[in-house]
Amino acid sequence: MLRHAIAPSRRYTKASHDVVRHPRLTSDAKILLLYVQGLTAESADRPLSEHARKLGITGRAYQKAKELLVVNGFLHEQRQQGVRGLWATAQLLSNVSLTPAEAATVCRGRAAEASEASDTSVCPGARDSAVGEPAIGEPVDRSVGGQLPVDEEREKNSPHPPSEAKPAPDPAAKPDPDPEPDPEPGSAPDAPLPPDVAEGERVLLSLRHVCRELYLGAKEARTLAALAAEWLRRGITAAQLRRVLTSELPDGGVRSAVGFLRYRLVHKLPEEPRPEVPAPKPVVAAMIPCAGPGEEHLFRPVRGEELCGPCGRAEARRFWLRQRELAEGQPAPLPWRERFAAVNGPRAQPC
């Protein structure tokens, strides 16, 4: 193979051989990593999906490339809460493989640099522009109560009853020191699940460790737990159920884990185990006397015979000896020529 290469003098990105020759990274993952590595600081402050969309890597191809970068330690994601309480996802893309501890160290260093830069650029005691100016005047209490019921037209058949005015609170009454809050609907503790339903829910929640596409939430697993419990009631073990749900996945990937698992649990449900029919007990025949010669003795017949085993074998031996003697007393058979002449008559002499 011939090779011709000209080293560029500008507009190039240094690529490590560890990345270019990585055996487990696809071409999309390598191109996405090298593209982000060559961006400026202003352009890099965007989600990884936007950079992939510019390169034409979308859909399943982007998910596969991102998954390979995460698995091999090039991409790390971390959920962070900002100053105002908003959550954001911080992405760290490195051209070398990093462990989670090393990635956390790099993120803390970047956060410290950003905080130092903000401290030097903002004057101490300055008000944040995003917070806004405070209201004018002294704080006052909100006026509540005293609202009259809303007038409604009695001619119309409204499904909602008319609102009623609530009685004004008595200022002389002492407030309850420890009022009991009204129970909210759905806040009652869930009843304990049956053992087979709980086992089915545990199997469904464990599928995320086998295949990331089958990730289920707690509520989603609870809705499918009854279907999984029916498998366990029909004699299928937890390992067998997990193997059935995770084997032979679609080539294009699983779009909805809940729909895919519900379809398999319903349409691949095995037959109910048939009740085992006990084998009939063998009937033991009564003892009967043997009809053979000699002293009288008893035996147990199997197929309605009248002779015991030894007497039956001796009788069979005597029968075949008699047949042999009869066969030896018969005259020898005639040759075939004589038998042919006896059937067809004497042969005619030629004239």
Side-chain angles (χ1 to χ4, degrees):
M1 181 184 68
L2 300 178
R3 186 180 64 173
H4 175 70
I6 299 178
S9 59
R10 61 188 182 87
R11 299 176 60 85
Y12 65 91
T13 301
K14 292 183 179 180
S16 173
H17 287 177
D18 296 336
V19 175
V20 177
R21 302 173 183 176
H22 202 286
R24 291 185 295 275
L25 291 181
T26 60
S27 58
D28 292 340
K30 296 176 183 179
I31 293 175
L32 184 58
L33 176 58
L34 297 178
Y35 175 80
V36 176
Q37 182 182 348
L39 294 175
T40 60
E42 294 79 9
S43 302
D45 193 15
R46 292 182 180 179
L48 186 63
S49 58
E50 292 188 9
H51 299 304
R53 193 179 301 111
K54 290 183 179 180
L55 296 174
I57 305 175
T58 58
R60 180 59 184 165
Y62 168 69
Q63 295 178 2
K64 185 66 176 178
K66 181 180 177 182
E67 180 181 356
L68 292 176
L69 292 174
V70 172
V71 170
N72 293 281
F74 292 98
L75 176 62
H76 297 270
E77 293 183 338
Q78 184 180 5
R79 295 277 293 172
Q80 298 177 352
Q81 189 174 15
V83 180
R84 302 183 61 186
L86 301 178
W87 287 91
T89 302
Q91 294 178 329
L92 174 63
L93 186 63
S94 173
N95 61 345
V96 294
S97 181
L98 299 177
T99 62
E102 295 174 346
T105 303
V106 173
C107 291
R108 285 195 298 269
R110 295 292 179 85
E113 294 177 1
S115 62
E116 292 178 1
S118 61
D119 292 342
T120 55
S121 59
V122 180
C123 297
R127 184 179 294 107
D128 189 0
S129 59
V131 177
E133 296 293 335
I136 301 175
E138 297 293 334
V140 295
D141 297 334
R142 296 180 59 185
S143 59
V144 296
Q147 185 177 2
L148 298 178
V150 180
D151 295 332
E152 297 184 0
E153 299 180 2
R154 297 297 181 179
E155 290 78 7
K156 295 183 179 180
N157 186 12
S158 176
H160 304 284
S163 58
E164 299 179 357
K166 297 182 180 180
D170 188 4
K174 296 183 179 180
D176 191 0
D178 190 8
E180 296 182 359
D182 296 335
E184 297 180 359
S187 62
D190 296 337
L193 297 176
D196 50 356
V197 179
E199 180 66 19
E201 184 179 0
R202 283 193 293 269
V203 173
L204 294 174
L205 291 175
S206 66
L207 298 180
R208 68 184 68 177
H209 305 296
V210 182
C211 180
R212 294 184 60 184
E213 296 180 349
L214 301 180
Y215 187 96
L216 291 177
K219 293 185 179 179
E220 296 173 338
R222 183 65 58 87
T223 58
L224 301 177
L227 297 176
E230 185 63 26
W231 284 63
L232 300 178
R233 281 192 291 266
R234 298 192 178 188
I236 305 299
T237 62
Q240 293 173 348
L241 177 58
R242 189 180 297 107
R243 190 180 307 111
V244 169
L245 297 178
T246 56
S247 61
E248 299 180 1
L249 298 179
D251 297 335
V254 178
R255 295 185 178 182
S256 174
V258 180
F260 174 77
L261 293 176
R262 180 183 290 109
Y263 182 87
R264 283 210 168 179
L265 289 173
V266 172
H267 290 81
K268 287 196 173 185
L269 184 66
E271 298 181 356
E272 294 185 3
R274 299 179 180 177
E276 297 182 0
V277 179
K281 295 182 179 179
V283 179
V284 180
M287 302 286 288
I288 61 174
C290 179
E295 297 180 0
E296 182 179 2
H297 55 279
L298 301 177
F299 77 101
R300 196 182 303 277
V302 179
R303 296 182 180 87
E305 59 271 11
E306 297 180 356
L307 298 175
C308 63
C311 295
R313 288 190 292 271
E315 182 65 24
R317 192 177 299 110
R318 287 192 296 269
F319 172 78
W320 288 111
L321 288 176
R322 288 193 302 267
Q323 294 295 330
R324 184 177 181 180
E325 292 175 358
L326 293 176
E328 291 177 354
Q330 296 290 337
L334 296 174
W336 69 272
R337 294 179 184 274
E338 296 179 3
R339 293 198 304 271
F340 184 80
V343 173
N344 298 329
R347 185 177 182 181
Q349 296 295 334
C351 299

